């Protein structure tokens, strides 16, 4: 039988020829289709200026993200091309303050783009940040916003006071220098311990114990350090991440039982939620007045609750830690500013205007120069200045600063923060200078304008950061204690710390010398 079917000697060649020509044709058709798609994609935004390559391939933008220098790229682009720039085939950035406020306003039809799926730290369960659907978002906001809201701020202060006192104890026992004793402290790390532990107290009525043990006990800092650089590589390729979150890759993702990394963090989220659920039923245990309890009281439970908790470890601590360490670095490198701030704090303390630790309200009323210092530091080093936070143009399309953007175009509202806050046309020729005085010199109208610009680093309108007030409170209460009690200095001008920006500002080797005053 088999031999009967054997083809004649010519046939294989013919068959080979046929298949290879079919394959060749198929390949050509595929190439043409892909080209047509690319031309179509390019054509849709051809009127928007930008680098030539960026119109054709995403890789142009990816290069910027991988180098951690995308914030500088964006600055160069807006300088060269104007207020709307195409940075990838389907992506633009805009650098007009009013336009950003308009597209994020409560009435706007803009949505979070699918980029936000990157924030889905727990597979299969959305948190407030990753949630895109406007209706679901509105519902989730109702459940979780009260936990972050102003009316609970007073309740949060004792939690932060407790953490500050632990930090000061740590400094006093382990890191004080004197003429006869030289000790250095890693301030970049301790600032993260502080924000992590104080957030733990605020949100879950439990410190994470980082300052108590002077170590990254739970591995959260480490997880962030490893994750952020990876994250910046996928900012422009979130689809890959989306695929990973689906079967079968899902099974490769971190699990609760893991000892380190995200798995450890999920496990911790689960532990916290379970512990509280048990306590709620128990007699004799006072009802906690923290963020977790507020979310539970508002009906959040199960995976929804756990995903909010897991997300909060990351958004709630790295950003503020970044702001604290950059502010301290700026102070130590600008002695005139440092001295003026220290004097204001000393003076307020002498006149009995601030308590120890300072209350949020006292800081707002009696320490205007400190507020200016913080604003100026946030302006120069916005904590999340490479994160794009892409928003999606609605069904109807939209015209932004004279450029028509068809539906589905995504607009990066985040990664332009460095650029907007150092724009010389807006800030003046000394835009790059750390000069808090500019905030005090400005008249009311100008100051409001300046604040509107810096405020954008927290997002705006319906997408605004839920933890903004908490972030300021954590800073307002901390700096006075650091400056009134100690002198801070950088030990060695020849070995200055190096600064990196893989999502937040990371300072390597921020070793500082602390002397009691
Ligand atoms: C200086 C510190 C901080 C900065 C610069 C910052 C910045 C941001 C930005 C840019 C967004 C996204 C806005 C957008 O989608 O367009 C955001 C969202 C968010 N932040 Fe913050 N943040 C900070 C501190 C915090 C803290 C301390 C918490 C928690 C206590 C927090 C909780 C959140 C939450 C829950 C969201 C999601 C809000 C939503 O999507 O509706 N943030 N933040
Ligand atoms: C701390 O700094 C101030 C000046 O800023 C100086 O007068 C004081 O002597 C310093 N204290 C110590 C202990 O170094």
């Amino acid at each position: 039988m088999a031999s009967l079917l054997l083809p004649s000697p010519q046939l294989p060649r013919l068959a080979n020829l046929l298949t290879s020509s079919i394959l060749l044709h198929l390949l050509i058709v595929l190439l043409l289709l892909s080209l047509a798609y690319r031309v179509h994609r390019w054509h849709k935004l051809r009127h928007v200026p930008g680098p030539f390559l960026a119109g054709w391939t995403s890789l142009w933008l990816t290069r910027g993200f991988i180098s951690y220098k995308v914030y500088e790229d964006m600055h160069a682009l807006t300088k060269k091309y104007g207020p709307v720039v195409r940075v990838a085939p389907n992506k633009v950035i805009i650098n007009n303050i009013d336009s950003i406020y308009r597209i994020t306003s409560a009435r706007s039809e803009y949505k979070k783009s699918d980029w936000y799926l990157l924030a889905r730290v727990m597979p299969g369960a959305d948190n407030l940040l990753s949630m895109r659907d406007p209706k679901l978002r509105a519902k989730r906001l109702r459940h979780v916003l009260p936990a972050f809201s102003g009316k609970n701020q007073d309740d949060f202060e004792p939690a932060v006071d407790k953490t500050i006192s632990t930090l000061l104890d740590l400094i006093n026992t382990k890191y004080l220098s004197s003429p006869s004793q030289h000790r250095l402290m890693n301030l970049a790390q301790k600032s993260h311990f502080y924000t992590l532990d104080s957030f733990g107290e605020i949100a879950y009525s439990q410190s994470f114990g980082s300052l108590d043990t002077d170590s990254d006990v739970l591995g959260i800092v480490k997880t962030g350090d490893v994750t952020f650089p990876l994250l910046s590589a996928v900012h422009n390729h979130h689809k890959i991440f989306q695929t990973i979150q689906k079967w079968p890759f899902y099974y490769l993702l971190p699990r609760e039982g893991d000892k380190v990394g995200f798995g450890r963090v999920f496990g911790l989220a689960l532990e916290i939620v379970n512990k509280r659920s048990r306590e709620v039923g128990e007699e004799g245990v006072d009802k906690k007045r923290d963020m977790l309890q507020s979310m539970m009281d508002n009906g959040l439970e199960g995976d929804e609750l756990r995903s909010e908790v897991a997300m909060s470890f990351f958004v709630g601590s790295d950003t503020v830690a970044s702001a604290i360490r950059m502010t301290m670095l700026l102070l130590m490198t600008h002695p005139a500013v440092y001295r003026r701030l220290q004097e204001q704090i000393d003076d307020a303390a002498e006149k009995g205007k601030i308590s120890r630790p300072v209350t949020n309200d006292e800081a707002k009323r009696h320490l205007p120069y400190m507020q200016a210092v913080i604003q100026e530091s946030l302006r120069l080093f916005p904590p999340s200045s490479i994160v794009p936070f892409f928003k999606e143009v609605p069904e109807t399309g939209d015209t932004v600063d004279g450029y028509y953007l068809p539906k589905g175009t995504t607009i990066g509202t985040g990664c332009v923060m460095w650029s907007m806050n150092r724009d010389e046309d807006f800030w003046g020729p000394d835009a790059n200078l750390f000069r808090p005085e500019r905030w005090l010199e400005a008249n009311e109208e100008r100051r409001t304008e300046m604040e509107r610009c810096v405020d954008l680093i927290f997002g705006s309108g319906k997408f605004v950061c839920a933890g903004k007030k908490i972030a300021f409170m954590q800073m307002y209460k901390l700096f006075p204690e650091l400056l009134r009690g100690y002198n801070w200095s950088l030990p060695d001008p020849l070995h200055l710390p190096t600064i990196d920006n893989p999502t937040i500002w990371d300072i390597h080797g921020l070793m500082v010398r602390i002397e009691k005053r």
Side-chain angles (χ1 to χ4, degrees):
M1 261 311 257
S3 68
L4 278 179
L5 284 176
L6 266 184
S8 69
Q10 288 93 334
L11 267 179
R13 276 188 52 210
L14 199 66
N16 272 347
L17 218 69
L18 261 177
T19 34
S20 60
S21 93
I22 287 175
L23 273 181
L24 196 68
H25 278 91
L26 212 66
L27 207 70
I28 291 174
V29 170
L30 280 178
L31 274 176
L32 284 177
L33 277 177
S34 146
L35 190 67
Y37 168 69
R38 272 162 204 277
V39 171
H40 173 69
R41 211 170 50 166
W42 167 80
H43 194 257
K44 279 206 293 195
L45 286 177
R46 70 191 179 287
H47 53 291
V48 181
F52 175 75
L53 271 180
W56 295 93
T57 167
S58 288
L59 293 176
W60 186 87
L61 183 58
T62 304
R63 186 196 45 91
F65 278 119
I66 289 178
S67 71
Y68 306 157
K69 291 264 191 306
V70 84
Y71 59 97
E72 282 180 352
D73 292 352
M74 299 298 121
H75 194 42
L77 289 180
T78 52
K79 278 217 139 62
K80 182 165 175 193
Y81 296 103
V84 183
V85 187
R86 182 185 208 174
V87 292
N90 192 34
K91 294 171 180 145
V92 302
I93 52 162
I94 60 179
N95 88 331
N96 180 324
I97 300 174
D98 292 327
S99 301
I100 296 188
Y101 276 106
R102 179 177 69 79
I103 72 175
T104 57
S105 79
R107 294 173 316 282
S108 132
E109 296 282 311
Y110 276 82
K111 283 195 310 191
K112 292 187 170 187
S113 78
D114 54 5
W115 172 87
Y116 277 86
L117 292 171
L118 282 175
R120 199 189 255 175
V121 287
M122 249 180 68
D126 268 315
N127 56 61
L128 182 59
L129 184 61
S130 69
M131 199 163 257
R132 303 173 55 217
D133 180 274
K135 283 213 181 77
L136 293 176
R137 251 183 78 68
K139 186 168 163 228
R140 182 63 63 89
L141 275 167
R142 275 200 306 280
H143 284 156
V144 310
L145 267 199
F148 292 88
S149 82
K151 72 177 186 315
N152 282 335
Q153 296 289 303
D154 295 346
D155 298 348
F156 293 157
E157 287 202 46
V160 178
D161 291 347
K162 204 165 139 189
T163 313
I164 290 179
S165 133
T166 314
L167 172 65
L168 300 186
D169 280 348
L170 179 67
I171 293 175
N172 291 338
T173 52
K174 211 169 154 185
Y175 293 110
L176 276 189
S177 288
S178 67
S180 59
Q181 188 162 42
H182 182 55
R183 287 166 167 169
L184 295 178
M185 183 180 93
N186 182 344
L187 180 59
Q189 184 202 45
K190 294 322 173 241
S191 58
H192 201 164
F193 287 177
Y194 163 72
T195 55
L196 206 52
D197 285 0
S198 62
F199 183 72
E201 291 279 4
I202 290 172
Y204 317 116
S205 302
Q206 70 183 72
S207 159
F208 294 127
S210 327
L211 288 170
D212 279 314
T213 60
D214 196 15
S215 71
D216 178 23
V217 251
L218 300 173
I220 299 180
V221 177
K222 181 104 194 8
T223 306
D225 287 351
V226 176
T227 314
F228 283 139
L230 286 175
L231 197 62
S232 50
V234 290
H235 274 322
N236 198 27
H237 299 276
H238 52 272
K239 290 261 178 357
I240 297 175
F241 199 74
Q242 224 171 318
T243 314
I244 291 177
Q245 294 206 338
K246 297 212 173 92
W247 190 89
F249 303 100
Y250 180 85
Y251 293 97
L252 298 177
L253 286 177
R255 315 256 103 205
E256 270 136 31
D258 291 357
K259 291 274 184 301
V260 289
F262 265 99
R264 179 76 189 83
V265 173
F266 298 156
L268 186 65
L270 182 67
E271 253 172 59
I272 289 174
V273 172
N274 284 353
K275 179 163 168 262
R276 181 62 54 86
S277 308
R278 270 197 316 274
E279 279 175 7
V280 167
E282 276 170 30
E283 271 182 43
V285 178
D286 283 344
K287 191 168 168 175
K288 299 280 194 308
R289 298 180 65 189
D290 54 17
M291 292 175 67
L292 179 63
Q293 198 57 50
S294 161
M295 290 186 201
M296 290 168 75
D297 291 349
N298 281 312
L300 213 61
E301 56 182 18
D303 266 359
E304 292 182 337
L305 185 58
R306 286 168 53 202
S307 69
E308 293 300 339
V309 173
M311 184 265 299
S312 71
F313 291 138
F314 300 97
V315 297
S317 71
D318 280 287
T319 43
V320 192
S322 167
I324 290 172
R325 62 175 80 112
M326 291 317 291
T327 306
M328 286 303 285
L329 180 61
L330 285 166
L331 285 173
M332 287 184 284
T333 49
H334 294 77
V337 178
Y338 186 126
R339 221 171 304 125
R340 183 167 175 188
L341 177 57
Q342 199 166 46
E343 273 166 21
Q344 176 167 86
I345 293 166
D346 288 350
D347 187 52
E350 225 164 81
K351 296 199 173 116
K353 288 181 177 161
I354 58 175
S355 13
R356 177 166 260 184
V358 182
T359 67
N360 199 37
D361 188 51
E362 288 166 351
K364 280 197 224 162
R365 277 195 288 149
H366 301 300
L367 301 174
Y369 192 64
M370 180 175 75
Q371 291 168 44
V373 165
I374 294 174
Q375 286 286 69
E376 187 73 346
S377 156
L378 289 172
R379 178 181 77 80
L380 286 176
F381 296 98
S384 59
S385 45
I386 73 164
V387 188
F389 297 110
F390 287 116
K391 310 295 187 297
E392 188 181 313
V393 175
E395 285 296 313
T396 49
D398 189 21
T399 300
V400 180
D401 292 310
Y403 294 95
Y404 177 74
L405 304 176
K407 73 167 184 189
T409 307
T410 58
I411 304 181
T413 55
C415 48
V416 281
M417 285 308 121
W418 165 280
S419 175
M420 291 175 58
N421 282 297
R422 287 178 182 246
D423 185 356
E424 290 174 3
D425 293 338
F426 184 87
W427 294 99
D430 64 354
N432 283 319
L433 217 62
F434 177 63
R435 206 173 66 79
E437 280 69 15
R438 77 177 78 236
W439 293 89
L440 306 176
E441 291 158 6
N443 63 24
E444 186 143 343
E445 191 189 346
R446 173 64 183 151
R447 200 184 152 111
T448 309
E449 240 175 56
M450 289 157 66
E451 274 165 1
R452 265 185 101 223
C453 184
V454 173
D455 260 0
L456 282 177
I457 70 168
F458 289 93
S460 48
K462 57 184 179 180
F463 308 111
V464 74
C465 170
K468 190 170 160 186
K469 279 189 182 163
I470 295 179
F472 276 104
M473 195 244 293
Q474 284 175 314
M475 292 190 273
Y476 283 171
K477 289 175 75 71
L478 178 68
F479 291 123
E481 300 323 310
L482 297 186
L483 294 177
R484 84 216 280 200
Y486 311 91
N487 279 357
W488 296 74
S489 57
L490 290 171
D492 180 357
L494 278 185
H495 295 94
L496 288 175
T498 54
I499 303 177
D500 222 359
N501 188 9
T503 302
I504 46 121
W505 295 95
D506 224 344
I507 315 182
H508 309 282
L510 183 55
M511 302 305 287
V512 296
R513 184 176 153 102
I514 312 166
E515 278 165 288
K516 205 157 187 122
R517 292 181 67 203

